[in-house]
Amino acid sequence: MTAPAPTRDGVARLVERATDGALTAAELLDSTDSLAALGVGSLSLLRLADSLESEYDVLIDLGDRSLYTDGLDQLTDRVRGLVAQDAP
């Protein structure tokens, strides 16, 4: 089964879930700030990485600082790139 294509809305929903709603998808969709600047903590980032891996069938390198320093658009693009890289 093929994983769904990453979208801004889909990634935003995963961030909302990873933060237990402390940062809503709507807030994230309206922001250009990095996840760290928006207050997403390390535990939530780990949960987000796990969710991204499960949802999009990719491997997120926790050493890749983009997970911490990127905003929604950059993170979505990064996940799209990982999906494309793994495509047959």
mmCIF file of all heavy atoms in Angstrom, residues 28-67:
data_model
loop_
_atom_site.group_PDB
_atom_site.id
_atom_site.type_symbol
_atom_site.label_atom_id
_atom_site.label_comp_id
_atom_site.label_asym_id
_atom_site.label_seq_id
_atom_site.Cartn_x
_atom_site.Cartn_y
_atom_site.Cartn_z
ATOM 1 N N LEU A 28 -0.747 26.756 13.043
ATOM 2 C CA LEU A 28 0.447 26.403 12.283
ATOM 3 C C LEU A 28 0.301 26.802 10.819
ATOM 4 O O LEU A 28 1.236 27.322 10.218
ATOM 5 C CB LEU A 28 0.722 24.908 12.410
ATOM 6 C CG LEU A 28 2.030 24.403 11.844
ATOM 7 C CD1 LEU A 28 3.221 25.133 12.440
ATOM 8 C CD2 LEU A 28 2.164 22.915 12.098
ATOM 9 N N LEU A 29 -0.869 26.585 10.254
ATOM 10 C CA LEU A 29 -1.107 26.937 8.853
ATOM 11 C C LEU A 29 -1.005 28.447 8.626
ATOM 12 O O LEU A 29 -0.685 28.887 7.522
ATOM 13 C CB LEU A 29 -2.472 26.419 8.395
ATOM 14 C CG LEU A 29 -2.558 24.912 8.213
ATOM 15 C CD1 LEU A 29 -4.009 24.460 8.126
ATOM 16 C CD2 LEU A 29 -1.768 24.460 6.994
ATOM 17 N N ASP A 30 -1.251 29.241 9.663
ATOM 18 C CA ASP A 30 -1.176 30.700 9.565
ATOM 19 C C ASP A 30 0.199 31.266 9.916
ATOM 20 O O ASP A 30 0.403 32.466 9.877
ATOM 21 C CB ASP A 30 -2.206 31.349 10.498
ATOM 22 C CG ASP A 30 -3.618 31.211 9.987
ATOM 23 O OD1 ASP A 30 -3.795 30.963 8.773
ATOM 24 O OD2 ASP A 30 -4.548 31.327 10.806
ATOM 25 N N SER A 31 1.156 30.411 10.251
ATOM 26 C CA SER A 31 2.448 30.865 10.727
ATOM 27 C C SER A 31 3.573 30.506 9.758
ATOM 28 O O SER A 31 3.488 29.519 9.038
ATOM 29 C CB SER A 31 2.737 30.218 12.089
ATOM 30 O OG SER A 31 4.023 30.586 12.529
ATOM 31 N N THR A 32 4.613 31.323 9.786
ATOM 32 C CA THR A 32 5.841 31.005 9.046
ATOM 33 C C THR A 32 6.989 30.715 9.998
ATOM 34 O O THR A 32 8.112 30.472 9.552
ATOM 35 C CB THR A 32 6.233 32.168 8.106
ATOM 36 O OG1 THR A 32 6.426 33.349 8.888
ATOM 37 C CG2 THR A 32 5.177 32.399 7.045
ATOM 38 N N ASP A 33 6.724 30.748 11.299
ATOM 39 C CA ASP A 33 7.760 30.504 12.303
ATOM 40 C C ASP A 33 8.152 29.034 12.352
ATOM 41 O O ASP A 33 7.391 28.151 11.959
ATOM 42 C CB ASP A 33 7.273 30.921 13.689
ATOM 43 C CG ASP A 33 7.107 32.423 13.831
ATOM 44 O OD1 ASP A 33 7.813 33.167 13.119
ATOM 45 O OD2 ASP A 33 6.261 32.847 14.639
ATOM 46 N N SER A 34 9.340 28.785 12.870
ATOM 47 C CA SER A 34 9.798 27.404 13.055
ATOM 48 C C SER A 34 8.975 26.738 14.148
ATOM 49 O O SER A 34 8.344 27.411 14.973
ATOM 50 C CB SER A 34 11.274 27.386 13.447
ATOM 51 O OG SER A 34 11.442 27.873 14.773
ATOM 52 N N LEU A 35 9.002 25.418 14.147
ATOM 53 C CA LEU A 35 8.275 24.688 15.191
ATOM 54 C C LEU A 35 8.819 25.035 16.568
ATOM 55 O O LEU A 35 8.051 25.220 17.519
ATOM 56 C CB LEU A 35 8.357 23.182 14.938
ATOM 57 C CG LEU A 35 7.716 22.686 13.648
ATOM 58 C CD1 LEU A 35 7.828 21.166 13.560
ATOM 59 C CD2 LEU A 35 6.281 23.120 13.533
ATOM 60 N N ALA A 36 10.131 25.163 16.681
ATOM 61 C CA ALA A 36 10.730 25.521 17.968
ATOM 62 C C ALA A 36 10.268 26.905 18.418
ATOM 63 O O ALA A 36 9.940 27.106 19.589
ATOM 64 C CB ALA A 36 12.244 25.454 17.886
ATOM 65 N N ALA A 37 10.221 27.854 17.495
ATOM 66 C CA ALA A 37 9.779 29.211 17.839
ATOM 67 C C ALA A 37 8.315 29.233 18.258
ATOM 68 O O ALA A 37 7.902 30.103 19.033
ATOM 69 C CB ALA A 37 10.003 30.154 16.664
ATOM 70 N N LEU A 38 7.558 28.272 17.774
ATOM 71 C CA LEU A 38 6.142 28.170 18.137
ATOM 72 C C LEU A 38 5.934 27.411 19.444
ATOM 73 O O LEU A 38 4.802 27.216 19.872
ATOM 74 C CB LEU A 38 5.354 27.512 17.009
ATOM 75 C CG LEU A 38 5.246 28.347 15.738
ATOM 76 C CD1 LEU A 38 4.677 27.509 14.596
ATOM 77 C CD2 LEU A 38 4.390 29.583 15.976
ATOM 78 N N GLY A 39 7.034 26.989 20.067
ATOM 79 C CA GLY A 39 6.947 26.348 21.370
ATOM 80 C C GLY A 39 6.850 24.838 21.354
ATOM 81 O O GLY A 39 6.549 24.229 22.383
ATOM 82 N N VAL A 40 7.107 24.220 20.213
ATOM 83 C CA VAL A 40 7.065 22.760 20.142
ATOM 84 C C VAL A 40 8.322 22.226 20.827
ATOM 85 O O VAL A 40 9.445 22.511 20.411
ATOM 86 C CB VAL A 40 6.978 22.271 18.680
ATOM 87 C CG1 VAL A 40 6.977 20.756 18.623
ATOM 88 C CG2 VAL A 40 5.731 22.835 18.013
ATOM 89 N N GLY A 41 8.127 21.484 21.894
ATOM 90 C CA GLY A 41 9.234 20.966 22.687
ATOM 91 C C GLY A 41 9.814 19.675 22.138
ATOM 92 O O GLY A 41 9.300 19.085 21.183
ATOM 93 N N SER A 42 10.871 19.226 22.775
ATOM 94 C CA SER A 42 11.609 18.061 22.286
ATOM 95 C C SER A 42 10.769 16.788 22.299
ATOM 96 O O SER A 42 10.852 15.984 21.361
ATOM 97 C CB SER A 42 12.900 17.863 23.086
ATOM 98 O OG SER A 42 12.610 17.722 24.461
ATOM 99 N N LEU A 43 9.972 16.567 23.313
ATOM 100 C CA LEU A 43 9.134 15.371 23.354
ATOM 101 C C LEU A 43 8.107 15.394 22.216
ATOM 102 O O LEU A 43 7.883 14.385 21.536
ATOM 103 C CB LEU A 43 8.430 15.229 24.698
ATOM 104 C CG LEU A 43 7.511 14.018 24.849
ATOM 105 C CD1 LEU A 43 8.281 12.719 24.603
ATOM 106 C CD2 LEU A 43 6.859 14.005 26.208
ATOM 107 N N SER A 44 7.513 16.554 21.974
ATOM 108 C CA SER A 44 6.554 16.679 20.872
ATOM 109 C C SER A 44 7.234 16.469 19.526
ATOM 110 O O SER A 44 6.653 15.871 18.621
ATOM 111 C CB SER A 44 5.875 18.056 20.904
ATOM 112 O OG SER A 44 5.062 18.170 22.053
ATOM 113 N N LEU A 45 8.475 16.949 19.383
ATOM 114 C CA LEU A 45 9.210 16.739 18.138
ATOM 115 C C LEU A 45 9.502 15.263 17.909
ATOM 116 O O LEU A 45 9.422 14.772 16.781
ATOM 117 C CB LEU A 45 10.498 17.556 18.125
ATOM 118 C CG LEU A 45 10.300 19.065 17.976
ATOM 119 C CD1 LEU A 45 11.606 19.798 18.233
ATOM 120 C CD2 LEU A 45 9.756 19.408 16.593
ATOM 121 N N LEU A 46 9.810 14.535 18.972
ATOM 122 C CA LEU A 46 10.019 13.088 18.845
ATOM 123 C C LEU A 46 8.721 12.398 18.435
ATOM 124 O O LEU A 46 8.728 11.511 17.575
ATOM 125 C CB LEU A 46 10.529 12.501 20.160
ATOM 126 C CG LEU A 46 11.957 12.848 20.539
ATOM 127 C CD1 LEU A 46 12.266 12.356 21.953
ATOM 128 C CD2 LEU A 46 12.932 12.264 19.550
ATOM 129 N N ARG A 47 7.635 12.807 19.034
ATOM 130 C CA ARG A 47 6.330 12.245 18.670
ATOM 131 C C ARG A 47 5.979 12.590 17.229
ATOM 132 O O ARG A 47 5.442 11.761 16.495
ATOM 133 C CB ARG A 47 5.255 12.761 19.626
ATOM 134 C CG ARG A 47 5.425 12.219 21.044
ATOM 135 C CD ARG A 47 4.466 12.821 22.015
ATOM 136 N NE ARG A 47 3.092 12.510 21.637
ATOM 137 C CZ ARG A 47 2.029 13.097 22.164
ATOM 138 N NH1 ARG A 47 2.172 14.034 23.079
ATOM 139 N NH2 ARG A 47 0.828 12.756 21.782
ATOM 140 N N LEU A 48 6.312 13.811 16.807
ATOM 141 C CA LEU A 48 6.059 14.221 15.429
ATOM 142 C C LEU A 48 6.882 13.380 14.459
ATOM 143 O O LEU A 48 6.359 12.922 13.441
ATOM 144 C CB LEU A 48 6.382 15.703 15.250
ATOM 145 C CG LEU A 48 6.289 16.237 13.823
ATOM 146 C CD1 LEU A 48 4.881 16.054 13.263
ATOM 147 C CD2 LEU A 48 6.724 17.689 13.775
ATOM 148 N N ALA A 49 8.141 13.183 14.757
ATOM 149 C CA ALA A 49 8.993 12.373 13.882
ATOM 150 C C ALA A 49 8.420 10.974 13.734
ATOM 151 O O ALA A 49 8.346 10.433 12.618
ATOM 152 C CB ALA A 49 10.418 12.318 14.437
ATOM 153 N N ASP A 50 7.967 10.393 14.835
ATOM 154 C CA ASP A 50 7.370 9.062 14.791
ATOM 155 C C ASP A 50 6.104 9.057 13.939
ATOM 156 O O ASP A 50 5.886 8.158 13.122
ATOM 157 C CB ASP A 50 7.067 8.590 16.214
ATOM 158 C CG ASP A 50 6.577 7.164 16.259
ATOM 159 O OD1 ASP A 50 7.237 6.283 15.663
ATOM 160 O OD2 ASP A 50 5.523 6.924 16.888
ATOM 161 N N SER A 51 5.288 10.087 14.089
ATOM 162 C CA SER A 51 4.049 10.189 13.305
ATOM 163 C C SER A 51 4.336 10.373 11.817
ATOM 164 O O SER A 51 3.665 9.773 10.974
ATOM 165 C CB SER A 51 3.200 11.362 13.801
ATOM 166 O OG SER A 51 2.736 11.125 15.102
ATOM 167 N N LEU A 52 5.319 11.207 11.498
ATOM 168 C CA LEU A 52 5.688 11.411 10.097
ATOM 169 C C LEU A 52 6.181 10.110 9.472
ATOM 170 O O LEU A 52 5.829 9.781 8.339
ATOM 171 C CB LEU A 52 6.764 12.493 9.973
ATOM 172 C CG LEU A 52 6.325 13.918 10.286
ATOM 173 C CD1 LEU A 52 7.540 14.830 10.429
ATOM 174 C CD2 LEU A 52 5.375 14.443 9.211
ATOM 175 N N GLU A 53 6.977 9.377 10.226
ATOM 176 C CA GLU A 53 7.486 8.095 9.725
ATOM 177 C C GLU A 53 6.345 7.122 9.470
ATOM 178 O O GLU A 53 6.312 6.454 8.427
ATOM 179 C CB GLU A 53 8.475 7.497 10.726
ATOM 180 C CG GLU A 53 9.782 8.241 10.784
ATOM 181 C CD GLU A 53 10.751 7.678 11.799
ATOM 182 O OE1 GLU A 53 10.336 6.958 12.738
ATOM 183 O OE2 GLU A 53 11.949 7.970 11.652
ATOM 184 N N SER A 54 5.411 7.051 10.394
ATOM 185 C CA SER A 54 4.284 6.123 10.252
ATOM 186 C C SER A 54 3.339 6.533 9.127
ATOM 187 O O SER A 54 2.908 5.698 8.329
ATOM 188 C CB SER A 54 3.489 6.043 11.557
ATOM 189 O OG SER A 54 4.270 5.490 12.585
ATOM 190 N N GLU A 55 3.025 7.811 9.072
ATOM 191 C CA GLU A 55 2.049 8.310 8.105
ATOM 192 C C GLU A 55 2.560 8.273 6.669
ATOM 193 O O GLU A 55 1.827 7.924 5.752
ATOM 194 C CB GLU A 55 1.651 9.747 8.462
ATOM 195 C CG GLU A 55 0.607 10.357 7.565
ATOM 196 C CD GLU A 55 -0.806 9.870 7.850
ATOM 197 O OE1 GLU A 55 -1.043 9.243 8.898
ATOM 198 O OE2 GLU A 55 -1.682 10.127 7.005
ATOM 199 N N TYR A 56 3.843 8.636 6.498
ATOM 200 C CA TYR A 56 4.368 8.796 5.140
ATOM 201 C C TYR A 56 5.418 7.749 4.758
ATOM 202 O O TYR A 56 6.015 7.836 3.687
ATOM 203 C CB TYR A 56 4.926 10.213 4.966
ATOM 204 C CG TYR A 56 3.861 11.252 5.181
ATOM 205 C CD1 TYR A 56 3.935 12.152 6.240
ATOM 206 C CD2 TYR A 56 2.753 11.331 4.337
ATOM 207 C CE1 TYR A 56 2.947 13.102 6.449
ATOM 208 C CE2 TYR A 56 1.753 12.277 4.547
ATOM 209 C CZ TYR A 56 1.858 13.154 5.601
ATOM 210 O OH TYR A 56 0.872 14.090 5.806
ATOM 211 N N ASP A 57 5.638 6.787 5.642
ATOM 212 C CA ASP A 57 6.560 5.688 5.366
ATOM 213 C C ASP A 57 7.947 6.196 4.970
ATOM 214 O O ASP A 57 8.503 5.811 3.943
ATOM 215 C CB ASP A 57 5.986 4.766 4.282
ATOM 216 C CG ASP A 57 6.700 3.427 4.229
ATOM 217 O OD1 ASP A 57 7.270 3.017 5.260
ATOM 218 O OD2 ASP A 57 6.704 2.803 3.153
ATOM 219 N N VAL A 58 8.478 7.099 5.789
ATOM 220 C CA VAL A 58 9.816 7.652 5.584
ATOM 221 C C VAL A 58 10.611 7.493 6.875
ATOM 222 O O VAL A 58 10.043 7.201 7.928
ATOM 223 C CB VAL A 58 9.777 9.142 5.187
ATOM 224 C CG1 VAL A 58 9.108 9.333 3.835
ATOM 225 C CG2 VAL A 58 9.094 9.986 6.249
ATOM 226 N N LEU A 59 11.899 7.707 6.784
ATOM 227 C CA LEU A 59 12.764 7.681 7.963
ATOM 228 C C LEU A 59 13.186 9.112 8.263
ATOM 229 O O LEU A 59 13.775 9.784 7.410
ATOM 230 C CB LEU A 59 13.987 6.806 7.719
ATOM 231 C CG LEU A 59 14.969 6.703 8.881
ATOM 232 C CD1 LEU A 59 14.289 6.091 10.105
ATOM 233 C CD2 LEU A 59 16.166 5.877 8.481
ATOM 234 N N ILE A 60 12.854 9.582 9.453
ATOM 235 C CA ILE A 60 13.217 10.933 9.880
ATOM 236 C C ILE A 60 14.492 10.830 10.713
ATOM 237 O O ILE A 60 14.526 10.144 11.727
ATOM 238 C CB ILE A 60 12.095 11.577 10.727
ATOM 239 C CG1 ILE A 60 10.782 11.626 9.950
ATOM 240 C CG2 ILE A 60 12.517 12.953 11.217
ATOM 241 C CD1 ILE A 60 10.787 12.525 8.751
ATOM 242 N N ASP A 61 15.528 11.513 10.269
ATOM 243 C CA ASP A 61 16.797 11.557 10.990
ATOM 244 C C ASP A 61 16.681 12.607 12.090
ATOM 245 O O ASP A 61 16.572 13.805 11.794
ATOM 246 C CB ASP A 61 17.923 11.891 10.019
ATOM 247 C CG ASP A 61 19.281 11.998 10.682
ATOM 248 O OD1 ASP A 61 19.390 11.780 11.910
ATOM 249 O OD2 ASP A 61 20.249 12.306 9.960
ATOM 250 N N LEU A 62 16.679 12.183 13.330
ATOM 251 C CA LEU A 62 16.529 13.121 14.446
ATOM 252 C C LEU A 62 17.727 14.056 14.562
ATOM 253 O O LEU A 62 17.649 15.081 15.218
ATOM 254 C CB LEU A 62 16.295 12.377 15.751
ATOM 255 C CG LEU A 62 14.979 11.610 15.817
ATOM 256 C CD1 LEU A 62 14.889 10.820 17.120
ATOM 257 C CD2 LEU A 62 13.797 12.533 15.671
ATOM 258 N N GLY A 63 18.833 13.718 13.922
ATOM 259 C CA GLY A 63 19.987 14.604 13.885
ATOM 260 C C GLY A 63 19.852 15.706 12.853
ATOM 261 O O GLY A 63 20.643 16.643 12.829
ATOM 262 N N ASP A 64 18.854 15.619 11.993
ATOM 263 C CA ASP A 64 18.596 16.638 10.976
ATOM 264 C C ASP A 64 17.914 17.819 11.647
ATOM 265 O O ASP A 64 16.760 17.738 12.057
ATOM 266 C CB ASP A 64 17.716 16.049 9.871
ATOM 267 C CG ASP A 64 17.421 17.026 8.751
ATOM 268 O OD1 ASP A 64 17.811 18.208 8.851
ATOM 269 O OD2 ASP A 64 16.788 16.599 7.767
ATOM 270 N N ARG A 65 18.635 18.915 11.765
ATOM 271 C CA ARG A 65 18.122 20.074 12.492
ATOM 272 C C ARG A 65 16.880 20.690 11.855
ATOM 273 O O ARG A 65 16.178 21.472 12.489
ATOM 274 C CB ARG A 65 19.215 21.127 12.631
ATOM 275 C CG ARG A 65 20.347 20.644 13.520
ATOM 276 C CD ARG A 65 21.373 21.701 13.834
ATOM 277 N NE ARG A 65 20.883 23.025 14.143
ATOM 278 C CZ ARG A 65 20.403 23.423 15.326
ATOM 279 N NH1 ARG A 65 20.338 22.566 16.312
ATOM 280 N NH2 ARG A 65 19.999 24.659 15.510
ATOM 281 N N SER A 66 16.573 20.326 10.617
ATOM 282 C CA SER A 66 15.405 20.924 9.966
ATOM 283 C C SER A 66 14.121 20.589 10.710
ATOM 284 O O SER A 66 13.167 21.368 10.685
ATOM 285 C CB SER A 66 15.314 20.497 8.502
ATOM 286 O OG SER A 66 15.085 19.115 8.390
ATOM 287 N N LEU A 67 14.082 19.463 11.384
ATOM 288 C CA LEU A 67 12.897 19.121 12.167
ATOM 289 C C LEU A 67 12.639 20.184 13.227
ATOM 290 O O LEU A 67 11.498 20.501 13.544
ATOM 291 C CB LEU A 67 13.053 17.741 12.816
ATOM 292 C CG LEU A 67 11.884 17.231 13.638
ATOM 293 C CD1 LEU A 67 10.647 17.032 12.756
ATOM 294 C CD2 LEU A 67 12.236 15.930 14.324
#
